[in-house]
Amino acid sequence: MDPSPALNRRQWLHATGALVAGWSVPGAARASTDRPSEPTGPVRLGLNENPFGPSPSAIAAMQAQLAVTHRYPSNFTNELVQAIAKKEGVKEDQVLLGVGSGEILQAVGRWLGPFKPEIITATPGYMQLIDVAQRAGARIISVPVNDRLEHDLPAMAAKISADTKLIYICNPNNPTGTLIPPAELRAFVREVSKKTLVLIDEAYLECSDDFQANTMVDLVREGLDVIVTRTFSKIHGLAGQRIGYAITHPAAAERMRSFMTGTMATNLLGVVAARASLEDHAYVKNTRIKIKAGRDQLTSLLTTLNRRFAKPQGNFVFFHTGMPIADFQQRMREEGILVARPFPPLLDWCRITIGLPGEMERAHQALRKILG
Ligand SMILES: Cc1ncc(COP(=O)(O)O)c(C=O)c1O
């Protein structure tokens, strides 16, 4: 939406309600909003959604712009790109918005796949890029996680060949939830990015205990052949609005852009919500604390139940059930709890997302009954 030439930017924001809603000015008055309430039906702990929902300022920003959704989103999109570039300390042409970070991952798969390259990834791991690349012609080199269910970086480095075009690192990993020690990952990326493009998927990193120490975006700033992807679907609680982004060098951003739906694909409400959420540090911090509390309570229950689990740093926990996952899923479903799909080859392990406190109480009861 173009500000009318007759209005300056501040007057325009007032006229549209954006200023009142706190969209453009962090900390401005916020609209009152309902928070997600504890559900009565099945508890959905299978998709790694953030049950605490979007921040009140993101909701207010969307409400303020509902009446202008007849406009294309380009001005808002530009502002979001500028805000992300500023936050990440990169230039705007190093930021690529996507319809969720999933669209960006798929674009990388469509870009590289037809070269029939080798792509190295961990197993079990997140498959969105991998599946698309494989369908487009890539050969996937799957490297099993180590006995702590963490990426096995030396084994991954040993698989690099002249045909390798990408190493995909999901950190924290989905489904295991493990985080690679940052010094180890940084040294690995510095070394292997001399030979191949590296993509670090940081979808869950803001749920972890120390985002700043673990993000690899500084390696993009150094100019290495690296892509970092992030999403507003997880800590920001905006999965339904489909906004994610990549930070990389301008040439890679340009290539990826040409394999995406288009610059106008991200929707206006999602963009304004993301912009507001980016500034809402208090809400993000608070959500991180609640996710960590849920994670800690679940791992202490699993310890009591004598179950192995991978050290979790996302908004989910991956643990050993001692039975085929299909049976475990069914038994949890009978208790009203939906858990994640199977993750081969670990077919007696289960991933559970951290839900609202009442949802977790129900999940704990079910786990005690089934595993106790
Ligand atoms: C590791 C990882 N990366 C990327 C995504 C894609 O998320 P979105 O498209 O909602 O940004 C997900 C979704 O669950 C994920 O688990």
Side-chain angles (χ1 to χ4, degrees):
M1 177 167 63
D2 277 327
S4 147
L7 299 178
N8 68 26
R9 174 152 177 82
R10 197 169 176 83
Q11 289 164 331
W12 169 78
L13 286 167
H14 264 299
T16 60
L19 199 56
V20 173
W23 167 58
S24 194
V25 177
R30 288 170 179 171
S32 66
T33 49
D34 293 333
R35 303 308 310 151
S37 53
E38 303 282 357
T40 48
V43 176
R44 306 169 75 89
L45 304 181
L47 295 178
N48 286 352
E49 295 153 328
N50 173 353
F52 301 104
S55 84
S57 52
I59 295 171
M62 289 188 276
Q63 286 170 336
Q65 300 304 332
L66 271 176
V68 295
T69 48
H70 56 298
R71 299 294 184 191
Y72 286 114
S74 46
N75 275 354
F76 295 97
T77 307
N78 294 342
E79 283 202 15
L80 178 59
V81 168
Q82 283 160 15
I84 292 170
K86 190 164 170 227
K87 171 176 177 258
E88 305 290 354
V90 296
K91 300 229 167 66
E92 284 162 40
D93 63 358
Q94 295 182 268
V95 178
L96 184 66
L97 286 188
V99 181
S101 59
E103 191 204 11
I104 295 169
L105 297 177
Q106 294 196 357
V108 174
R110 283 194 293 273
W111 162 29
L112 297 179
F115 292 101
K116 310 223 176 302
E118 289 181 357
I119 294 183
I120 301 172
T121 188
T123 184
Y126 190 65
M127 298 304 286
Q128 201 164 0
L129 182 161
I130 299 301
D131 287 344
V132 171
Q134 191 166 33
R135 280 200 297 276
R139 195 161 90 82
I140 306 303
I141 312 291
S142 299
V143 178
V145 292
N146 65 21
D147 54 6
R148 291 185 304 279
L149 274 69
E150 298 164 354
H151 281 80
D152 188 341
L153 295 184
M156 293 178 90
K159 294 288 183 191
I160 296 177
S161 77
D163 292 331
T164 306
K165 284 266 185 294
L166 177 74
I167 299 187
Y168 172 67
I169 303 272
C170 184
N171 197 45
N173 190 33
N174 181 6
T176 62
T178 51
L179 199 55
I180 303 165
E184 213 177 292
L185 181 57
R186 203 164 267 114
F188 171 85
V189 176
R190 274 191 211 293
E191 201 46 44
V192 300
S193 65
K194 292 174 193 158
K195 302 174 195 157
T196 177
L197 176 62
V198 183
L199 191 149
I200 319 274
D201 181 339
E202 297 187 350
Y204 297 99
L205 192 58
E206 284 160 292
C207 302
S208 76
D209 294 340
D210 193 347
F211 170 79
Q212 280 310 333
N214 285 282
T215 178
M216 293 294 134
V217 91
D218 53 307
L219 299 183
V220 176
R221 285 196 291 268
E222 278 181 33
L224 304 192
D225 198 11
V226 173
I227 303 169
V228 171
T229 54
R230 302 259 184 73
T231 181
F232 286 93
S233 299
K234 306 300 176 184
I235 195 83
H236 294 279
L238 287 165
Q241 286 294 0
R242 315 303 304 121
I243 306 279
Y245 63 95
I247 306 290
T248 186
H249 51 83
E254 204 41 53
R255 288 307 290 151
M256 286 146 72
R257 188 171 285 118
S258 68
F259 288 91
M260 290 172 60
T261 324
T263 46
M264 294 295 225
T266 44
N267 83 82
L268 191 152
L269 295 181
V271 169
V272 297
R275 174 80 179 84
S277 199
L278 206 60
E279 308 292 347
D280 200 339
H281 306 292
Y283 190 79
V284 167
K285 183 174 169 203
N286 204 9
T287 304
R288 182 181 303 121
I289 290 170
K290 289 191 276 195
I291 289 171
K292 178 175 166 43
R295 228 166 44 204
D296 289 349
Q297 284 155 9
L298 182 51
T299 53
S300 70
L301 173 69
L302 292 166
T303 305
T304 311
L305 295 172
N306 232 350
R307 297 290 151 177
R308 275 186 70 204
F309 55 85
K311 196 174 169 206
Q313 283 290 298
N315 64 341
F316 54 94
V317 176
F318 193 58
F319 63 96
H320 188 234
T321 64
M323 67 183 81
I325 181 66
D327 296 351
F328 184 75
Q329 275 179 317
Q330 175 58 25
R331 293 192 58 186
M332 288 293 278
R333 200 176 301 121
E334 285 161 12
E335 300 300 322
I337 314 286
L338 307 181
V339 298
R341 66 174 179 83
F343 292 101
L346 300 181
L347 291 173
D348 51 1
W349 287 68
C350 175
R351 191 194 74 192
I352 287 193
T353 307
I354 303 306
L356 295 171
E359 295 177 321
M360 293 313 286
E361 229 172 275
R362 287 179 62 187
H364 282 213
Q365 267 169 24
L367 290 171
R368 271 195 213 95
K369 184 166 167 188
I370 297 165
L371 302 178

Short mmCIF file of all heavy atoms in Angstrom, two decimals, residues 19-64:
data_model
loop_
_atom_site.label_atom_id
_atom_site.label_comp_id
_atom_site.label_asym_id
_atom_site.label_seq_id
_atom_site.Cartn_x
_atom_site.Cartn_y
_atom_site.Cartn_z
N LEU A 19 -0.16 2.38 13.51
CA LEU A 19 0.61 2.94 14.62
C LEU A 19 -0.06 2.58 15.94
O LEU A 19 0.58 2.14 16.89
CB LEU A 19 0.69 4.46 14.45
CG LEU A 19 1.80 5.14 15.23
CD1 LEU A 19 3.13 4.53 14.85
CD2 LEU A 19 1.80 6.62 14.95
N VAL A 20 -1.38 2.74 15.96
CA VAL A 20 -2.13 2.42 17.17
C VAL A 20 -1.94 0.95 17.53
O VAL A 20 -1.80 0.57 18.68
CB VAL A 20 -3.63 2.75 16.97
CG1 VAL A 20 -4.45 2.26 18.15
CG2 VAL A 20 -3.82 4.23 16.75
N ALA A 21 -1.90 0.11 16.48
CA ALA A 21 -1.79 -1.33 16.72
C ALA A 21 -0.38 -1.74 17.12
O ALA A 21 -0.15 -2.87 17.50
CB ALA A 21 -2.18 -2.09 15.46
N GLY A 22 0.56 -0.81 17.07
CA GLY A 22 1.91 -1.16 17.49
C GLY A 22 2.68 -1.87 16.41
O GLY A 22 3.69 -2.49 16.67
N TRP A 23 2.23 -1.76 15.14
CA TRP A 23 2.94 -2.49 14.09
C TRP A 23 4.28 -1.85 13.78
O TRP A 23 5.28 -2.52 13.67
CB TRP A 23 2.06 -2.53 12.84
CG TRP A 23 2.83 -2.98 11.66
CD1 TRP A 23 3.51 -4.17 11.54
CD2 TRP A 23 3.06 -2.26 10.47
NE1 TRP A 23 4.14 -4.22 10.32
CE2 TRP A 23 3.88 -3.06 9.65
CE3 TRP A 23 2.66 -1.01 10.00
CZ2 TRP A 23 4.29 -2.65 8.39
CZ3 TRP A 23 3.06 -0.61 8.74
CH2 TRP A 23 3.87 -1.43 7.96
N SER A 24 4.25 -0.50 13.68
CA SER A 24 5.48 0.13 13.25
C SER A 24 6.33 0.61 14.42
O SER A 24 7.52 0.75 14.30
CB SER A 24 5.15 1.31 12.34
OG SER A 24 6.30 1.71 11.67
N VAL A 25 5.69 0.85 15.55
CA VAL A 25 6.44 1.37 16.69
C VAL A 25 6.43 0.33 17.80
O VAL A 25 5.40 0.08 18.41
CB VAL A 25 5.83 2.68 17.20
CG1 VAL A 25 6.57 3.17 18.43
CG2 VAL A 25 5.88 3.73 16.10
N PRO A 26 7.57 -0.32 18.04
CA PRO A 26 7.59 -1.35 19.08
C PRO A 26 7.15 -0.76 20.41
O PRO A 26 7.51 0.36 20.73
CB PRO A 26 9.06 -1.78 19.14
CG PRO A 26 9.70 -1.21 17.94
CD PRO A 26 8.86 -0.10 17.44
N GLY A 27 6.36 -1.51 21.15
CA GLY A 27 5.97 -1.07 22.48
C GLY A 27 4.77 -0.14 22.48
O GLY A 27 4.32 0.29 23.53
N ALA A 28 4.25 0.24 21.31
CA ALA A 28 3.07 1.10 21.27
C ALA A 28 1.87 0.30 21.78
O ALA A 28 1.93 -0.92 21.92
CB ALA A 28 2.81 1.55 19.83
N ALA A 29 0.74 1.02 22.03
CA ALA A 29 -0.44 0.35 22.60
C ALA A 29 -0.84 -0.84 21.75
O ALA A 29 -0.77 -0.80 20.53
CB ALA A 29 -1.59 1.34 22.65
N ARG A 30 -1.25 -1.93 22.40
CA ARG A 30 -1.61 -3.14 21.66
C ARG A 30 -3.09 -3.41 21.81
O ARG A 30 -3.66 -3.19 22.87
CB ARG A 30 -0.85 -4.32 22.24
CG ARG A 30 0.62 -4.23 21.88
CD ARG A 30 1.37 -5.27 22.64
NE ARG A 30 2.77 -5.16 22.25
CZ ARG A 30 3.74 -5.81 22.84
NH1 ARG A 30 3.49 -6.60 23.85
NH2 ARG A 30 4.97 -5.68 22.44
N ALA A 31 -3.67 -3.97 20.75
CA ALA A 31 -5.07 -4.38 20.83
C ALA A 31 -5.16 -5.56 21.79
O ALA A 31 -4.25 -6.38 21.88
CB ALA A 31 -5.55 -4.79 19.45
N SER A 32 -6.28 -5.66 22.54
CA SER A 32 -6.44 -6.83 23.40
C SER A 32 -6.82 -8.01 22.51
O SER A 32 -7.55 -7.87 21.54
CB SER A 32 -7.52 -6.58 24.44
OG SER A 32 -8.75 -6.46 23.78
N THR A 33 -6.29 -9.18 22.83
CA THR A 33 -6.52 -10.34 21.97
C THR A 33 -6.76 -11.56 22.84
O THR A 33 -6.27 -11.64 23.96
CB THR A 33 -5.27 -10.62 21.10
OG1 THR A 33 -4.14 -10.61 21.95
CG2 THR A 33 -5.12 -9.59 20.02
N ASP A 34 -7.50 -12.51 22.29
CA ASP A 34 -7.70 -13.77 23.01
C ASP A 34 -6.45 -14.62 22.84
O ASP A 34 -5.86 -14.66 21.79
CB ASP A 34 -8.87 -14.53 22.39
CG ASP A 34 -10.17 -13.80 22.63
OD1 ASP A 34 -10.23 -13.07 23.64
OD2 ASP A 34 -11.09 -13.96 21.81
N ARG A 35 -6.05 -15.30 23.88
CA ARG A 35 -4.94 -16.24 23.78
C ARG A 35 -5.51 -17.62 23.46
O ARG A 35 -6.67 -17.91 23.77
CB ARG A 35 -4.16 -16.32 25.11
CG ARG A 35 -3.62 -14.99 25.58
CD ARG A 35 -2.83 -14.23 24.54
NE ARG A 35 -1.79 -15.05 23.90
CZ ARG A 35 -1.35 -14.85 22.66
NH1 ARG A 35 -1.87 -13.92 21.90
NH2 ARG A 35 -0.43 -15.61 22.15
N PRO A 36 -4.69 -18.49 22.83
CA PRO A 36 -5.18 -19.84 22.59
C PRO A 36 -5.57 -20.49 23.92
O PRO A 36 -4.86 -20.35 24.91
CB PRO A 36 -3.95 -20.55 22.00
CG PRO A 36 -3.06 -19.47 21.52
CD PRO A 36 -3.32 -18.27 22.38
N SER A 37 -6.71 -21.16 23.94
CA SER A 37 -7.13 -21.78 25.20
C SER A 37 -6.89 -23.28 25.13
O SER A 37 -6.69 -23.85 24.06
CB SER A 37 -8.61 -21.50 25.42
OG SER A 37 -9.32 -21.90 24.28
N GLU A 38 -6.90 -23.92 26.29
CA GLU A 38 -6.67 -25.36 26.35
C GLU A 38 -7.81 -26.05 25.61
O GLU A 38 -8.98 -25.82 25.88
CB GLU A 38 -6.67 -25.82 27.82
CG GLU A 38 -5.66 -25.10 28.70
CD GLU A 38 -4.23 -25.62 28.52
OE1 GLU A 38 -4.03 -26.58 27.76
OE2 GLU A 38 -3.33 -25.04 29.15
N PRO A 39 -7.51 -26.91 24.65
CA PRO A 39 -8.56 -27.54 23.86
C PRO A 39 -9.22 -28.69 24.60
O PRO A 39 -8.65 -29.23 25.53
CB PRO A 39 -7.81 -28.07 22.64
CG PRO A 39 -6.43 -28.32 23.14
CD PRO A 39 -6.18 -27.34 24.26
N THR A 40 -10.42 -29.05 24.16
CA THR A 40 -11.10 -30.17 24.79
C THR A 40 -10.97 -31.44 23.93
O THR A 40 -11.10 -32.54 24.43
CB THR A 40 -12.59 -29.84 25.01
OG1 THR A 40 -13.08 -29.31 23.79
CG2 THR A 40 -12.77 -28.84 26.13
N GLY A 41 -10.73 -31.28 22.62
CA GLY A 41 -10.62 -32.44 21.72
C GLY A 41 -9.24 -33.06 21.80
O GLY A 41 -8.54 -32.89 22.80
N PRO A 42 -8.84 -33.80 20.74
CA PRO A 42 -7.51 -34.41 20.75
C PRO A 42 -6.43 -33.33 20.90
O PRO A 42 -6.57 -32.23 20.38
CB PRO A 42 -7.40 -35.07 19.38
CG PRO A 42 -8.74 -35.03 18.76
CD PRO A 42 -9.57 -34.02 19.50
N VAL A 43 -5.38 -33.68 21.60
CA VAL A 43 -4.27 -32.75 21.81
C VAL A 43 -3.29 -32.93 20.66
O VAL A 43 -2.77 -34.03 20.45
CB VAL A 43 -3.59 -33.04 23.17
CG1 VAL A 43 -2.38 -32.16 23.36
CG2 VAL A 43 -4.58 -32.85 24.31
N ARG A 44 -3.04 -31.87 19.93
CA ARG A 44 -2.24 -31.96 18.70
C ARG A 44 -0.77 -31.66 19.00
O ARG A 44 -0.38 -30.50 19.04
CB ARG A 44 -2.78 -31.00 17.66
CG ARG A 44 -4.28 -31.20 17.39
CD ARG A 44 -4.84 -30.07 16.56
NE ARG A 44 -4.43 -30.21 15.19
CZ ARG A 44 -5.11 -30.91 14.28
NH1 ARG A 44 -6.25 -31.47 14.62
NH2 ARG A 44 -4.68 -31.01 13.06
N LEU A 45 0.00 -32.71 19.19
CA LEU A 45 1.42 -32.53 19.52
C LEU A 45 2.28 -33.19 18.45
O LEU A 45 3.36 -33.72 18.74
CB LEU A 45 1.71 -33.13 20.91
CG LEU A 45 0.86 -32.58 22.07
CD1 LEU A 45 1.27 -33.24 23.39
CD2 LEU A 45 0.99 -31.07 22.18
N GLY A 46 1.80 -33.13 17.20
CA GLY A 46 2.51 -33.85 16.15
C GLY A 46 3.21 -32.99 15.11
O GLY A 46 3.99 -33.50 14.31
N LEU A 47 2.96 -31.69 15.09
CA LEU A 47 3.45 -30.89 13.96
C LEU A 47 4.43 -29.78 14.33
O LEU A 47 4.74 -28.92 13.51
CB LEU A 47 2.26 -30.27 13.20
CG LEU A 47 1.32 -31.28 12.52
CD1 LEU A 47 0.15 -30.55 11.85
CD2 LEU A 47 2.07 -32.11 11.48
N ASN A 48 4.91 -29.80 15.57
CA ASN A 48 5.86 -28.77 16.02
C ASN A 48 5.34 -27.35 15.83
O ASN A 48 6.10 -26.43 15.49
CB ASN A 48 7.23 -28.94 15.34
CG ASN A 48 7.99 -30.12 15.90
OD1 ASN A 48 7.57 -30.72 16.89
ND2 ASN A 48 9.10 -30.47 15.28
N GLU A 49 4.02 -27.19 16.02
CA GLU A 49 3.48 -25.83 16.04
C GLU A 49 3.75 -25.22 17.41
O GLU A 49 4.02 -25.93 18.37
CB GLU A 49 1.97 -25.87 15.79
CG GLU A 49 1.62 -26.38 14.40
CD GLU A 49 0.25 -27.04 14.32
OE1 GLU A 49 -0.20 -27.63 15.32
OE2 GLU A 49 -0.36 -26.96 13.25
N ASN A 50 3.63 -23.90 17.48
CA ASN A 50 3.82 -23.20 18.75
C ASN A 50 2.44 -22.94 19.35
O ASN A 50 1.70 -22.10 18.84
CB ASN A 50 4.57 -21.90 18.48
CG ASN A 50 4.68 -21.01 19.69
OD1 ASN A 50 4.07 -21.28 20.73
ND2 ASN A 50 5.44 -19.94 19.55
N PRO A 51 2.07 -23.65 20.43
CA PRO A 51 0.70 -23.58 20.93
C PRO A 51 0.40 -22.24 21.61
O PRO A 51 -0.77 -21.94 21.87
CB PRO A 51 0.64 -24.71 21.96
CG PRO A 51 2.03 -24.75 22.50
CD PRO A 51 2.93 -24.45 21.31
N PHE A 52 1.45 -21.46 21.90
CA PHE A 52 1.21 -20.19 22.61
C PHE A 52 0.73 -19.10 21.64
O PHE A 52 0.31 -18.04 22.07
CB PHE A 52 2.47 -19.76 23.37
CG PHE A 52 2.89 -20.81 24.36
CD1 PHE A 52 3.97 -21.65 24.11
CD2 PHE A 52 2.17 -21.00 25.53
CE1 PHE A 52 4.34 -22.64 25.01
CE2 PHE A 52 2.52 -21.99 26.44
CZ PHE A 52 3.61 -22.82 26.17
N GLY A 53 0.80 -19.40 20.36
CA GLY A 53 0.20 -18.50 19.37
C GLY A 53 1.05 -17.30 19.04
O GLY A 53 2.14 -17.13 19.58
N PRO A 54 0.54 -16.44 18.13
CA PRO A 54 1.30 -15.25 17.75
C PRO A 54 1.35 -14.24 18.90
O PRO A 54 0.53 -14.31 19.81
CB PRO A 54 0.47 -14.65 16.59
CG PRO A 54 -0.63 -15.60 16.32
CD PRO A 54 -0.76 -16.54 17.47
N SER A 55 2.27 -13.30 18.81
CA SER A 55 2.35 -12.27 19.84
C SER A 55 1.14 -11.33 19.71
O SER A 55 0.61 -11.16 18.61
CB SER A 55 3.65 -11.47 19.70
OG SER A 55 3.49 -10.44 18.76
N PRO A 56 0.72 -10.72 20.82
CA PRO A 56 -0.40 -9.77 20.73
C PRO A 56 -0.13 -8.66 19.72
O PRO A 56 -1.02 -8.21 19.01
CB PRO A 56 -0.51 -9.20 22.15
CG PRO A 56 0.09 -10.26 23.01
CD PRO A 56 1.18 -10.91 22.20
N SER A 57 1.14 -8.22 19.60
CA SER A 57 1.41 -7.15 18.64
C SER A 57 1.27 -7.67 17.20
O SER A 57 0.86 -6.92 16.31
CB SER A 57 2.78 -6.52 18.87
OG SER A 57 3.77 -7.50 18.93
N ALA A 58 1.57 -8.95 16.97
CA ALA A 58 1.38 -9.50 15.62
C ALA A 58 -0.11 -9.59 15.30
O ALA A 58 -0.54 -9.27 14.18
CB ALA A 58 2.03 -10.88 15.52
N ILE A 59 -0.90 -9.99 16.29
CA ILE A 59 -2.34 -10.08 16.07
C ILE A 59 -2.93 -8.69 15.80
O ILE A 59 -3.72 -8.49 14.86
CB ILE A 59 -3.03 -10.75 17.28
CG1 ILE A 59 -2.57 -12.22 17.40
CG2 ILE A 59 -4.56 -10.69 17.14
CD1 ILE A 59 -3.01 -12.92 18.66
N ALA A 60 -2.47 -7.72 16.59
CA ALA A 60 -2.96 -6.36 16.41
C ALA A 60 -2.57 -5.83 15.02
O ALA A 60 -3.37 -5.14 14.36
CB ALA A 60 -2.40 -5.46 17.50
N ALA A 61 -1.36 -6.14 14.60
CA ALA A 61 -0.90 -5.66 13.28
C ALA A 61 -1.77 -6.26 12.18
O ALA A 61 -2.15 -5.57 11.22
CB ALA A 61 0.56 -6.04 13.07
N MET A 62 -2.13 -7.54 12.31
CA MET A 62 -2.98 -8.17 11.29
C MET A 62 -4.37 -7.54 11.32
O MET A 62 -4.94 -7.22 10.27
CB MET A 62 -3.07 -9.68 11.53
CG MET A 62 -1.78 -10.40 11.22
SD MET A 62 -1.92 -12.20 11.28
CE MET A 62 -1.72 -12.53 13.01
N GLN A 63 -4.90 -7.33 12.53
CA GLN A 63 -6.24 -6.72 12.63
C GLN A 63 -6.25 -5.34 12.00
O GLN A 63 -7.18 -4.97 11.30
CB GLN A 63 -6.67 -6.63 14.11
CG GLN A 63 -7.06 -7.99 14.67
CD GLN A 63 -7.24 -7.97 16.19
OE1 GLN A 63 -6.68 -7.13 16.89
NE2 GLN A 63 -8.03 -8.91 16.68
N ALA A 64 -5.16 -4.60 12.23
CA ALA A 64 -5.11 -3.23 11.72
C ALA A 64 -5.08 -3.19 10.19
O ALA A 64 -5.47 -2.19 9.59
CB ALA A 64 -3.88 -2.52 12.28
#
